[in-house]
Amino acid sequence: QVLDHWQNQLVSVVDQARQQFSPPPKLTVSEWADKYRVLSKEESSMSGLWSTDRVPYLRKIMDAFNDDYIESIIFMKSAQIGATEAGINIIAYTIDQEPCRILYVLPDDDIAKDFSSERLRKALRNCPRLDNKFDDADSKNKVLRFPGGFIRLEGAQSPGKLASWPIPKIIMDEIDKYPRWAGREANPIALAEERAKNWPSKKMLLMSTPT
């Protein structure tokens, strides 16, 4: 009986260790968002758990980030249909499931700072799944770090910063509002593309409402 007791105890300890160190279940971006993304009343009129069924046209755009055969996604859209929320879902998924460097480019530096403090960080804080998974010490900082990577927010008018880091995942938002040239250097989209060219698993999402 004593031996059986210790055997049962050992089995229990091994099971607990196996659960603790087992990798997270493999999900697509949309599946992750449906399971873990929580929208606050501040973010959405439909607060609560995110549902891709409400915006079904975003499913394939988000899940293209899980397709090894797709490198670039171009999303020409109308206004206020959730494209930026799809970008936030991709970031949150990356932090939790596939940590790496991400570059998020907006038309200028002021918009990038506002997006970092007023939208992205607040959205990530609302996801219990991401508790303690990223450094949220300085909400005014345009770099948000997490184990295995970071998200860097930049304006399209900053050529030096667009060209300074090799990065496998790039999201470029409202590209029709970018300057045609970034300073005396190349087009901001071309500069960002250079950052990803040496990564075998690179992903780029370019989205905009046409102007």
Side-chain angles (χ1 to χ4, degrees):
Q1 289 181 347
V2 173
L3 181 60
D4 288 343
H5 169 75
W6 284 110
Q7 284 179 333
N8 291 336
Q9 288 288 95
L10 179 60
V11 168
S12 176
V13 169
V14 170
D15 284 344
Q16 290 176 20
R18 191 174 292 151
Q19 291 173 16
Q20 184 173 355
F21 293 105
S22 61
K26 190 65 176 176
L27 303 171
T28 66
V29 173
S30 66
E31 288 170 342
W32 188 95
D34 287 340
K35 190 171 183 178
Y36 298 120
R37 176 81 193 276
V38 178
L39 298 167
S40 67
K41 291 181 180 179
E42 186 180 7
E43 293 174 87
S44 173
S45 59
M46 295 182 288
S47 59
L49 194 62
W50 168 278
S51 172
T52 307
D53 287 342
R54 293 175 182 163
V55 281
Y57 48 86
L58 294 178
R59 188 182 305 277
K60 285 191 176 181
I61 291 168
M62 292 190 291
D63 291 349
F65 266 71
N66 303 109
D67 191 327
D68 292 338
Y69 294 97
I70 295 175
E71 291 185 351
S72 296
I73 305 107
I74 314 298
F75 185 15
M76 184 170 66
K77 63 183 184 64
S78 56
Q80 300 298 317
I81 62 168
T84 300
E85 295 301 328
I88 292 173
N89 287 341
I90 290 166
I91 291 169
Y93 168 90
T94 300
I95 292 171
D96 185 46
Q97 296 266 305
E98 297 180 358
C100 68
R101 297 173 176 179
I102 312 169
L103 176 64
Y104 199 111
V105 184
L106 289 143
D108 62 47
D109 252 9
D110 288 339
I111 296 173
K113 289 176 183 177
D114 288 345
F115 179 76
S116 175
S117 61
E118 298 300 321
R119 194 158 180 185
L120 177 60
R121 292 170 187 268
K122 288 181 179 179
L124 298 179
R125 285 189 213 115
N126 288 328
C127 296
R129 175 72 178 183
L130 301 180
D131 283 353
N132 303 315
K133 287 198 173 186
F134 61 94
D135 180 6
D136 197 29
D138 184 358
S139 64
K140 295 182 180 180
N141 193 338
K142 293 188 297 174
V143 179
L144 191 152
R145 301 185 183 279
F146 48 88
F150 60 74
I151 164 73
R152 188 177 191 96
L153 295 112
E154 294 296 350
Q157 297 173 330
S158 304
K161 293 178 180 177
L162 289 180
S164 60
W165 289 89
I167 288 179
K169 288 186 180 181
I170 299 173
I171 301 172
M172 308 193 81
D173 204 347
E174 294 298 349
I175 61 173
D176 269 23
K177 296 178 182 177
Y178 289 7
R180 183 167 295 183
W181 302 101
R184 294 182 178 180
E185 303 198 37
N187 176 280
I189 296 173
L191 283 173
E193 285 175 334
E194 283 291 304
R195 299 308 93 220
K197 71 177 183 180
N198 292 325
W199 292 86
S201 57
K202 65 182 178 183
K203 291 283 185 286
M204 288 193 68
L205 170 60
L206 285 76
M207 52 189 180
S208 190
T209 304
T211 62

mmCIF file of all heavy atoms in Angstrom, residues 25-33 52 58-73 86 89-99 168-169 200-205:
data_model
loop_
_atom_site.group_PDB
_atom_site.id
_atom_site.type_symbol
_atom_site.label_atom_id
_atom_site.label_comp_id
_atom_site.label_asym_id
_atom_site.label_seq_id
_atom_site.Cartn_x
_atom_site.Cartn_y
_atom_site.Cartn_z
ATOM 1 N N PRO A 25 -1.150 24.638 -27.579
ATOM 2 C CA PRO A 25 -1.791 24.033 -28.747
ATOM 3 C C PRO A 25 -1.589 24.905 -29.977
ATOM 4 O O PRO A 25 -1.613 26.131 -29.890
ATOM 5 C CB PRO A 25 -3.276 23.972 -28.348
ATOM 6 C CG PRO A 25 -3.426 24.978 -27.246
ATOM 7 C CD PRO A 25 -2.110 24.988 -26.535
ATOM 8 N N LYS A 26 -1.343 24.273 -31.130
ATOM 9 C CA LYS A 26 -1.088 25.007 -32.363
ATOM 10 C C LYS A 26 -2.398 25.550 -32.921
ATOM 11 O O LYS A 26 -3.305 24.793 -33.262
ATOM 12 C CB LYS A 26 -0.426 24.091 -33.387
ATOM 13 C CG LYS A 26 0.093 24.807 -34.617
ATOM 14 C CD LYS A 26 1.225 25.752 -34.278
ATOM 15 C CE LYS A 26 1.801 26.398 -35.524
ATOM 16 N NZ LYS A 26 2.837 27.397 -35.186
ATOM 17 N N LEU A 27 -2.491 26.861 -32.993
ATOM 18 C CA LEU A 27 -3.708 27.518 -33.471
ATOM 19 C C LEU A 27 -3.366 28.437 -34.627
ATOM 20 O O LEU A 27 -2.233 28.889 -34.766
ATOM 21 C CB LEU A 27 -4.340 28.352 -32.341
ATOM 22 C CG LEU A 27 -4.702 27.640 -31.038
ATOM 23 C CD1 LEU A 27 -5.102 28.664 -29.980
ATOM 24 C CD2 LEU A 27 -5.836 26.647 -31.254
ATOM 25 N N THR A 28 -4.361 28.747 -35.458
ATOM 26 C CA THR A 28 -4.196 29.820 -36.430
ATOM 27 C C THR A 28 -4.448 31.147 -35.716
ATOM 28 O O THR A 28 -4.935 31.179 -34.580
ATOM 29 C CB THR A 28 -5.184 29.671 -37.592
ATOM 30 O OG1 THR A 28 -6.522 29.850 -37.092
ATOM 31 C CG2 THR A 28 -5.053 28.309 -38.266
ATOM 32 N N VAL A 29 -4.141 32.248 -36.400
ATOM 33 C CA VAL A 29 -4.363 33.563 -35.788
ATOM 34 C C VAL A 29 -5.837 33.745 -35.438
ATOM 35 O O VAL A 29 -6.181 34.196 -34.337
ATOM 36 C CB VAL A 29 -3.885 34.688 -36.726
ATOM 37 C CG1 VAL A 29 -4.273 36.051 -36.147
ATOM 38 C CG2 VAL A 29 -2.377 34.622 -36.939
ATOM 39 N N SER A 30 -6.736 33.397 -36.356
ATOM 40 C CA SER A 30 -8.168 33.595 -36.088
ATOM 41 C C SER A 30 -8.650 32.690 -34.954
ATOM 42 O O SER A 30 -9.475 33.112 -34.131
ATOM 43 C CB SER A 30 -9.000 33.362 -37.351
ATOM 44 O OG SER A 30 -8.945 32.021 -37.773
ATOM 45 N N GLU A 31 -8.154 31.454 -34.902
ATOM 46 C CA GLU A 31 -8.530 30.550 -33.810
ATOM 47 C C GLU A 31 -8.029 31.092 -32.474
ATOM 48 O O GLU A 31 -8.749 31.025 -31.465
ATOM 49 C CB GLU A 31 -7.963 29.156 -34.062
ATOM 50 C CG GLU A 31 -8.648 28.402 -35.185
ATOM 51 C CD GLU A 31 -7.928 27.128 -35.571
ATOM 52 O OE1 GLU A 31 -6.728 26.974 -35.226
ATOM 53 O OE2 GLU A 31 -8.544 26.278 -36.235
ATOM 54 N N TRP A 32 -6.802 31.618 -32.464
ATOM 55 C CA TRP A 32 -6.260 32.189 -31.230
ATOM 56 C C TRP A 32 -7.125 33.367 -30.777
ATOM 57 O O TRP A 32 -7.468 33.478 -29.592
ATOM 58 C CB TRP A 32 -4.820 32.652 -31.450
ATOM 59 C CG TRP A 32 -4.148 33.077 -30.182
ATOM 60 C CD1 TRP A 32 -3.349 32.319 -29.384
ATOM 61 C CD2 TRP A 32 -4.251 34.359 -29.535
ATOM 62 N NE1 TRP A 32 -2.938 33.054 -28.284
ATOM 63 C CE2 TRP A 32 -3.482 34.303 -28.355
ATOM 64 C CE3 TRP A 32 -4.912 35.542 -29.841
ATOM 65 C CZ2 TRP A 32 -3.352 35.386 -27.482
ATOM 66 C CZ3 TRP A 32 -4.796 36.629 -28.969
ATOM 67 C CH2 TRP A 32 -4.018 36.543 -27.814
ATOM 68 N N ALA A 33 -7.454 34.253 -31.724
ATOM 69 C CA ALA A 33 -8.251 35.435 -31.373
ATOM 70 C C ALA A 33 -9.619 35.026 -30.834
ATOM 71 O O ALA A 33 -10.113 35.603 -29.856
ATOM 72 C CB ALA A 33 -8.405 36.339 -32.587
ATOM 73 N N THR A 52 -14.432 36.012 -34.855
ATOM 74 C CA THR A 52 -14.125 36.218 -36.269
ATOM 75 C C THR A 52 -15.372 36.056 -37.131
ATOM 76 O O THR A 52 -15.446 36.616 -38.230
ATOM 77 C CB THR A 52 -13.018 35.246 -36.728
ATOM 78 O OG1 THR A 52 -11.888 35.368 -35.851
ATOM 79 C CG2 THR A 52 -12.558 35.552 -38.141
ATOM 80 N N LEU A 58 -12.060 38.839 -42.554
ATOM 81 C CA LEU A 58 -10.723 38.965 -41.979
ATOM 82 C C LEU A 58 -10.056 37.613 -41.712
ATOM 83 O O LEU A 58 -8.853 37.552 -41.477
ATOM 84 C CB LEU A 58 -10.776 39.744 -40.659
ATOM 85 C CG LEU A 58 -11.177 41.215 -40.726
ATOM 86 C CD1 LEU A 58 -11.222 41.814 -39.331
ATOM 87 C CD2 LEU A 58 -10.215 42.007 -41.610
ATOM 88 N N ARG A 59 -10.832 36.522 -41.769
ATOM 89 C CA ARG A 59 -10.296 35.218 -41.370
ATOM 90 C C ARG A 59 -9.086 34.817 -42.221
ATOM 91 O O ARG A 59 -8.018 34.493 -41.709
ATOM 92 C CB ARG A 59 -11.386 34.150 -41.455
ATOM 93 C CG ARG A 59 -10.955 32.805 -40.868
ATOM 94 C CD ARG A 59 -12.051 31.754 -41.021
ATOM 95 N NE ARG A 59 -13.313 32.186 -40.456
ATOM 96 C CZ ARG A 59 -13.627 32.097 -39.164
ATOM 97 N NH1 ARG A 59 -12.749 31.584 -38.310
ATOM 98 N NH2 ARG A 59 -14.799 32.514 -38.728
ATOM 99 N N LYS A 60 -9.251 34.822 -43.546
ATOM 100 C CA LYS A 60 -8.152 34.371 -44.400
ATOM 101 C C LYS A 60 -6.977 35.341 -44.370
ATOM 102 O O LYS A 60 -5.823 34.930 -44.544
ATOM 103 C CB LYS A 60 -8.648 34.179 -45.832
ATOM 104 C CG LYS A 60 -9.485 32.920 -46.013
ATOM 105 C CD LYS A 60 -9.742 32.606 -47.477
ATOM 106 C CE LYS A 60 -10.481 31.294 -47.628
ATOM 107 N NZ LYS A 60 -10.714 30.957 -49.054
ATOM 108 N N ILE A 61 -7.266 36.622 -44.169
ATOM 109 C CA ILE A 61 -6.181 37.606 -44.081
ATOM 110 C C ILE A 61 -5.330 37.318 -42.848
ATOM 111 O O ILE A 61 -4.094 37.288 -42.920
ATOM 112 C CB ILE A 61 -6.757 39.028 -44.049
ATOM 113 C CG1 ILE A 61 -7.372 39.366 -45.410
ATOM 114 C CG2 ILE A 61 -5.686 40.053 -43.681
ATOM 115 C CD1 ILE A 61 -8.221 40.600 -45.426
ATOM 116 N N MET A 62 -5.961 37.080 -41.708
ATOM 117 C CA MET A 62 -5.200 36.769 -40.494
ATOM 118 C C MET A 62 -4.494 35.425 -40.618
ATOM 119 O O MET A 62 -3.315 35.297 -40.270
ATOM 120 C CB MET A 62 -6.135 36.771 -39.278
ATOM 121 C CG MET A 62 -6.691 38.133 -38.917
ATOM 122 S SD MET A 62 -7.562 38.165 -37.324
ATOM 123 C CE MET A 62 -9.033 37.190 -37.709
ATOM 124 N N ASP A 63 -5.186 34.420 -41.137
ATOM 125 C CA ASP A 63 -4.624 33.068 -41.189
ATOM 126 C C ASP A 63 -3.561 32.906 -42.261
ATOM 127 O O ASP A 63 -2.829 31.900 -42.263
ATOM 128 C CB ASP A 63 -5.744 32.039 -41.380
ATOM 129 C CG ASP A 63 -6.629 31.921 -40.146
ATOM 130 O OD1 ASP A 63 -6.261 32.475 -39.089
ATOM 131 O OD2 ASP A 63 -7.696 31.278 -40.239
ATOM 132 N N ALA A 64 -3.444 33.881 -43.161
ATOM 133 C CA ALA A 64 -2.341 33.850 -44.126
ATOM 134 C C ALA A 64 -0.991 33.904 -43.414
ATOM 135 O O ALA A 64 0.023 33.449 -43.951
ATOM 136 C CB ALA A 64 -2.474 35.003 -45.115
ATOM 137 N N PHE A 65 -0.981 34.450 -42.194
ATOM 138 C CA PHE A 65 0.258 34.495 -41.421
ATOM 139 C C PHE A 65 0.682 33.103 -40.953
ATOM 140 O O PHE A 65 1.806 32.927 -40.494
ATOM 141 C CB PHE A 65 0.106 35.435 -40.223
ATOM 142 C CG PHE A 65 0.587 36.830 -40.513
ATOM 143 C CD1 PHE A 65 -0.116 37.655 -41.363
ATOM 144 C CD2 PHE A 65 1.761 37.316 -39.958
ATOM 145 C CE1 PHE A 65 0.324 38.937 -41.655
ATOM 146 C CE2 PHE A 65 2.221 38.589 -40.232
ATOM 147 C CZ PHE A 65 1.507 39.404 -41.097
ATOM 148 N N ASN A 66 -0.188 32.113 -41.070
ATOM 149 C CA ASN A 66 0.149 30.746 -40.703
ATOM 150 C C ASN A 66 0.496 29.887 -41.912
ATOM 151 O O ASN A 66 0.815 28.710 -41.755
ATOM 152 C CB ASN A 66 -1.020 30.091 -39.953
ATOM 153 C CG ASN A 66 -1.421 30.858 -38.718
ATOM 154 O OD1 ASN A 66 -2.469 31.483 -38.682
ATOM 155 N ND2 ASN A 66 -0.580 30.836 -37.694
ATOM 156 N N ASP A 67 0.427 30.473 -43.105
ATOM 157 C CA ASP A 67 0.664 29.728 -44.347
ATOM 158 C C ASP A 67 2.104 29.948 -44.795
ATOM 159 O O ASP A 67 2.488 31.057 -45.156
ATOM 160 C CB ASP A 67 -0.313 30.206 -45.427
ATOM 161 C CG ASP A 67 -0.304 29.311 -46.659
ATOM 162 O OD1 ASP A 67 0.780 28.769 -46.978
ATOM 163 O OD2 ASP A 67 -1.351 29.178 -47.304
ATOM 164 N N ASP A 68 2.900 28.879 -44.797
ATOM 165 C CA ASP A 68 4.315 28.987 -45.144
ATOM 166 C C ASP A 68 4.534 29.411 -46.592
ATOM 167 O O ASP A 68 5.633 29.846 -46.950
ATOM 168 C CB ASP A 68 5.023 27.647 -44.901
ATOM 169 C CG ASP A 68 5.115 27.291 -43.425
ATOM 170 O OD1 ASP A 68 5.024 28.215 -42.590
ATOM 171 O OD2 ASP A 68 5.257 26.095 -43.105
ATOM 172 N N TYR A 69 3.524 29.268 -47.430
ATOM 173 C CA TYR A 69 3.685 29.581 -48.851
ATOM 174 C C TYR A 69 3.313 31.029 -49.186
ATOM 175 O O TYR A 69 3.428 31.443 -50.326
ATOM 176 C CB TYR A 69 2.841 28.619 -49.696
ATOM 177 C CG TYR A 69 3.336 27.193 -49.618
ATOM 178 C CD1 TYR A 69 2.748 26.285 -48.732
ATOM 179 C CD2 TYR A 69 4.407 26.758 -50.397
ATOM 180 C CE1 TYR A 69 3.206 24.974 -48.644
ATOM 181 C CE2 TYR A 69 4.871 25.457 -50.310
ATOM 182 C CZ TYR A 69 4.268 24.572 -49.433
ATOM 183 O OH TYR A 69 4.722 23.283 -49.340
ATOM 184 N N ILE A 70 2.845 31.769 -48.196
ATOM 185 C CA ILE A 70 2.453 33.162 -48.421
ATOM 186 C C ILE A 70 3.447 34.075 -47.730
ATOM 187 O O ILE A 70 3.724 33.927 -46.540
ATOM 188 C CB ILE A 70 1.030 33.426 -47.892
ATOM 189 C CG1 ILE A 70 0.000 32.606 -48.681
ATOM 190 C CG2 ILE A 70 0.693 34.913 -47.973
ATOM 191 C CD1 ILE A 70 -1.410 32.709 -48.149
ATOM 192 N N GLU A 71 3.994 35.039 -48.480
ATOM 193 C CA GLU A 71 4.915 36.018 -47.902
ATOM 194 C C GLU A 71 4.292 37.397 -47.784
ATOM 195 O O GLU A 71 4.601 38.135 -46.852
ATOM 196 C CB GLU A 71 6.190 36.107 -48.757
ATOM 197 C CG GLU A 71 7.055 34.863 -48.692
ATOM 198 C CD GLU A 71 8.362 35.034 -49.442
ATOM 199 O OE1 GLU A 71 8.509 36.049 -50.157
ATOM 200 O OE2 GLU A 71 9.215 34.147 -49.317
ATOM 201 N N SER A 72 3.435 37.786 -48.736
ATOM 202 C CA SER A 72 2.864 39.135 -48.738
ATOM 203 C C SER A 72 1.351 39.063 -48.839
ATOM 204 O O SER A 72 0.797 38.293 -49.627
ATOM 205 C CB SER A 72 3.406 39.944 -49.920
ATOM 206 O OG SER A 72 4.795 40.126 -49.795
ATOM 207 N N ILE A 73 0.690 39.883 -48.025
ATOM 208 C CA ILE A 73 -0.769 40.006 -48.051
ATOM 209 C C ILE A 73 -1.093 41.471 -48.308
ATOM 210 O O ILE A 73 -0.620 42.345 -47.581
ATOM 211 C CB ILE A 73 -1.406 39.563 -46.718
ATOM 212 C CG1 ILE A 73 -0.961 38.141 -46.347
ATOM 213 C CG2 ILE A 73 -2.917 39.650 -46.789
ATOM 214 C CD1 ILE A 73 0.018 38.091 -45.211
ATOM 215 N N ALA A 86 -7.308 43.270 -36.852
ATOM 216 C CA ALA A 86 -6.654 42.061 -37.373
ATOM 217 C C ALA A 86 -5.158 42.137 -37.127
ATOM 218 O O ALA A 86 -4.519 41.136 -36.752
ATOM 219 C CB ALA A 86 -6.952 41.897 -38.864
ATOM 220 N N ASN A 89 -4.527 41.357 -33.559
ATOM 221 C CA ASN A 89 -4.639 39.908 -33.342
ATOM 222 C C ASN A 89 -3.360 39.187 -33.758
ATOM 223 O O ASN A 89 -2.908 38.253 -33.081
ATOM 224 C CB ASN A 89 -5.824 39.340 -34.133
ATOM 225 C CG ASN A 89 -7.161 39.707 -33.524
ATOM 226 O OD1 ASN A 89 -7.245 40.072 -32.354
ATOM 227 N ND2 ASN A 89 -8.215 39.624 -34.304
ATOM 228 N N ILE A 90 -2.775 39.601 -34.874
ATOM 229 C CA ILE A 90 -1.524 38.992 -35.344
ATOM 230 C C ILE A 90 -0.404 39.234 -34.330
ATOM 231 O O ILE A 90 0.389 38.334 -34.024
ATOM 232 C CB ILE A 90 -1.155 39.546 -36.732
ATOM 233 C CG1 ILE A 90 -2.148 39.022 -37.782
ATOM 234 C CG2 ILE A 90 0.276 39.168 -37.113
ATOM 235 C CD1 ILE A 90 -2.086 39.755 -39.109
ATOM 236 N N ILE A 91 -0.335 40.452 -33.799
ATOM 237 C CA ILE A 91 0.685 40.767 -32.792
ATOM 238 C C ILE A 91 0.481 39.921 -31.537
ATOM 239 O O ILE A 91 1.422 39.321 -31.008
ATOM 240 C CB ILE A 91 0.638 42.263 -32.444
ATOM 241 C CG1 ILE A 91 1.110 43.100 -33.638
ATOM 242 C CG2 ILE A 91 1.489 42.566 -31.210
ATOM 243 C CD1 ILE A 91 0.845 44.591 -33.485
ATOM 244 N N ALA A 92 -0.747 39.877 -31.029
ATOM 245 C CA ALA A 92 -1.034 39.115 -29.806
ATOM 246 C C ALA A 92 -0.725 37.633 -30.004
ATOM 247 O O ALA A 92 -0.133 36.984 -29.129
ATOM 248 C CB ALA A 92 -2.501 39.312 -29.409
ATOM 249 N N TYR A 93 -1.120 37.106 -31.149
ATOM 250 C CA TYR A 93 -0.823 35.702 -31.479
ATOM 251 C C TYR A 93 0.684 35.461 -31.481
ATOM 252 O O TYR A 93 1.168 34.454 -30.944
ATOM 253 C CB TYR A 93 -1.415 35.370 -32.843
ATOM 254 C CG TYR A 93 -0.939 34.060 -33.428
ATOM 255 C CD1 TYR A 93 -1.628 32.874 -33.165
ATOM 256 C CD2 TYR A 93 0.183 33.998 -34.246
ATOM 257 C CE1 TYR A 93 -1.182 31.668 -33.699
ATOM 258 C CE2 TYR A 93 0.624 32.797 -34.777
ATOM 259 C CZ TYR A 93 -0.061 31.640 -34.507
ATOM 260 O OH TYR A 93 0.377 30.445 -35.037
ATOM 261 N N THR A 94 1.434 36.374 -32.087
ATOM 262 C CA THR A 94 2.886 36.214 -32.179
ATOM 263 C C THR A 94 3.525 36.205 -30.797
ATOM 264 O O THR A 94 4.406 35.381 -30.510
ATOM 265 C CB THR A 94 3.487 37.344 -33.038
ATOM 266 O OG1 THR A 94 2.913 37.283 -34.350
ATOM 267 C CG2 THR A 94 4.994 37.211 -33.148
ATOM 268 N N ILE A 95 3.096 37.111 -29.920
ATOM 269 C CA ILE A 95 3.632 37.152 -28.557
ATOM 270 C C ILE A 95 3.426 35.815 -27.857
ATOM 271 O O ILE A 95 4.318 35.302 -27.183
ATOM 272 C CB ILE A 95 2.970 38.275 -27.747
ATOM 273 C CG1 ILE A 95 3.380 39.653 -28.298
ATOM 274 C CG2 ILE A 95 3.328 38.183 -26.261
ATOM 275 C CD1 ILE A 95 2.607 40.809 -27.691
ATOM 276 N N ASP A 96 2.263 35.219 -28.040
ATOM 277 C CA ASP A 96 1.909 34.007 -27.310
ATOM 278 C C ASP A 96 2.407 32.728 -27.981
ATOM 279 O O ASP A 96 2.866 31.811 -27.302
ATOM 280 C CB ASP A 96 0.381 33.925 -27.159
ATOM 281 C CG ASP A 96 -0.053 32.748 -26.298
ATOM 282 O OD1 ASP A 96 0.544 32.551 -25.215
ATOM 283 O OD2 ASP A 96 -0.992 32.030 -26.699
ATOM 284 N N GLN A 97 2.339 32.657 -29.311
ATOM 285 C CA GLN A 97 2.554 31.395 -30.004
ATOM 286 C C GLN A 97 3.877 31.301 -30.772
ATOM 287 O O GLN A 97 4.498 30.246 -30.796
ATOM 288 C CB GLN A 97 1.409 31.165 -31.002
ATOM 289 C CG GLN A 97 0.042 31.011 -30.363
ATOM 290 C CD GLN A 97 -0.347 29.577 -30.107
ATOM 291 O OE1 GLN A 97 -0.345 28.749 -31.012
ATOM 292 N NE2 GLN A 97 -0.696 29.273 -28.876
ATOM 293 N N GLU A 98 4.282 32.374 -31.411
ATOM 294 C CA GLU A 98 5.480 32.329 -32.266
ATOM 295 C C GLU A 98 6.318 33.592 -32.048
ATOM 296 O O GLU A 98 6.428 34.438 -32.941
ATOM 297 C CB GLU A 98 5.091 32.204 -33.741
ATOM 298 C CG GLU A 98 4.358 30.923 -34.083
ATOM 299 C CD GLU A 98 3.982 30.840 -35.554
ATOM 300 O OE1 GLU A 98 4.268 31.802 -36.301
ATOM 301 O OE2 GLU A 98 3.409 29.824 -35.962
ATOM 302 N N PRO A 99 6.907 33.774 -30.863
ATOM 303 C CA PRO A 99 7.625 35.021 -30.568
ATOM 304 C C PRO A 99 8.722 35.313 -31.583
ATOM 305 O O PRO A 99 9.512 34.432 -31.933
ATOM 306 C CB PRO A 99 8.207 34.763 -29.175
ATOM 307 C CG PRO A 99 7.377 33.673 -28.590
ATOM 308 C CD PRO A 99 6.951 32.821 -29.734
ATOM 309 N N PRO A 168 11.337 39.658 -39.280
ATOM 310 C CA PRO A 168 10.612 38.706 -40.134
ATOM 311 C C PRO A 168 9.144 39.035 -40.374
ATOM 312 O O PRO A 168 8.569 38.598 -41.371
ATOM 313 C CB PRO A 168 10.744 37.383 -39.370
ATOM 314 C CG PRO A 168 10.887 37.790 -37.935
ATOM 315 C CD PRO A 168 11.617 39.098 -37.948
ATOM 316 N N LYS A 169 8.499 39.765 -39.452
ATOM 317 C CA LYS A 169 7.082 40.084 -39.619
ATOM 318 C C LYS A 169 6.890 41.598 -39.664
ATOM 319 O O LYS A 169 7.336 42.309 -38.754
ATOM 320 C CB LYS A 169 6.248 39.500 -38.476
ATOM 321 C CG LYS A 169 6.092 37.981 -38.527
ATOM 322 C CD LYS A 169 5.135 37.480 -37.463
ATOM 323 C CE LYS A 169 4.980 35.966 -37.528
ATOM 324 N NZ LYS A 169 4.033 35.455 -36.500
ATOM 325 N N PRO A 200 13.614 33.318 -44.072
ATOM 326 C CA PRO A 200 12.888 32.334 -44.887
ATOM 327 C C PRO A 200 11.389 32.299 -44.596
ATOM 328 O O PRO A 200 10.597 31.900 -45.450
ATOM 329 C CB PRO A 200 13.552 31.004 -44.509
ATOM 330 C CG PRO A 200 14.191 31.244 -43.173
ATOM 331 C CD PRO A 200 14.596 32.691 -43.166
ATOM 332 N N SER A 201 10.996 32.724 -43.402
ATOM 333 C CA SER A 201 9.573 32.683 -43.027
ATOM 334 C C SER A 201 8.984 34.088 -42.941
ATOM 335 O O SER A 201 8.102 34.342 -42.135
ATOM 336 C CB SER A 201 9.414 31.974 -41.679
ATOM 337 O OG SER A 201 10.184 32.624 -40.671
ATOM 338 N N LYS A 202 9.443 35.002 -43.782
ATOM 339 C CA LYS A 202 9.002 36.387 -43.685
ATOM 340 C C LYS A 202 7.526 36.531 -44.025
ATOM 341 O O LYS A 202 6.960 35.775 -44.815
ATOM 342 C CB LYS A 202 9.829 37.274 -44.610
ATOM 343 C CG LYS A 202 9.659 36.983 -46.082
ATOM 344 C CD LYS A 202 10.554 37.892 -46.912
ATOM 345 C CE LYS A 202 10.434 37.589 -48.397
ATOM 346 N NZ LYS A 202 11.350 38.412 -49.214
ATOM 347 N N LYS A 203 6.899 37.528 -43.405
ATOM 348 C CA LYS A 203 5.490 37.852 -43.643
ATOM 349 C C LYS A 203 5.342 39.363 -43.671
ATOM 350 O O LYS A 203 5.850 40.056 -42.791
ATOM 351 C CB LYS A 203 4.606 37.280 -42.520
ATOM 352 C CG LYS A 203 4.511 35.754 -42.495
ATOM 353 C CD LYS A 203 3.565 35.266 -43.571
ATOM 354 C CE LYS A 203 3.355 33.759 -43.472
ATOM 355 N NZ LYS A 203 4.508 32.987 -43.944
ATOM 356 N N MET A 204 4.619 39.850 -44.682
ATOM 357 C CA MET A 204 4.309 41.279 -44.769
ATOM 358 C C MET A 204 2.830 41.458 -45.024
ATOM 359 O O MET A 204 2.258 40.826 -45.911
ATOM 360 C CB MET A 204 5.102 41.932 -45.897
ATOM 361 C CG MET A 204 6.584 42.075 -45.610
ATOM 362 S SD MET A 204 7.408 43.182 -46.790
ATOM 363 C CE MET A 204 6.672 44.755 -46.358
ATOM 364 N N LEU A 205 2.208 42.317 -44.217
ATOM 365 C CA LEU A 205 0.807 42.692 -44.416
ATOM 366 C C LEU A 205 0.774 44.175 -44.727
ATOM 367 O O LEU A 205 1.189 45.012 -43.914
ATOM 368 C CB LEU A 205 -0.015 42.386 -43.164
ATOM 369 C CG LEU A 205 -1.450 42.940 -43.129
ATOM 370 C CD1 LEU A 205 -2.275 42.400 -44.287
ATOM 371 C CD2 LEU A 205 -2.123 42.601 -41.796
#
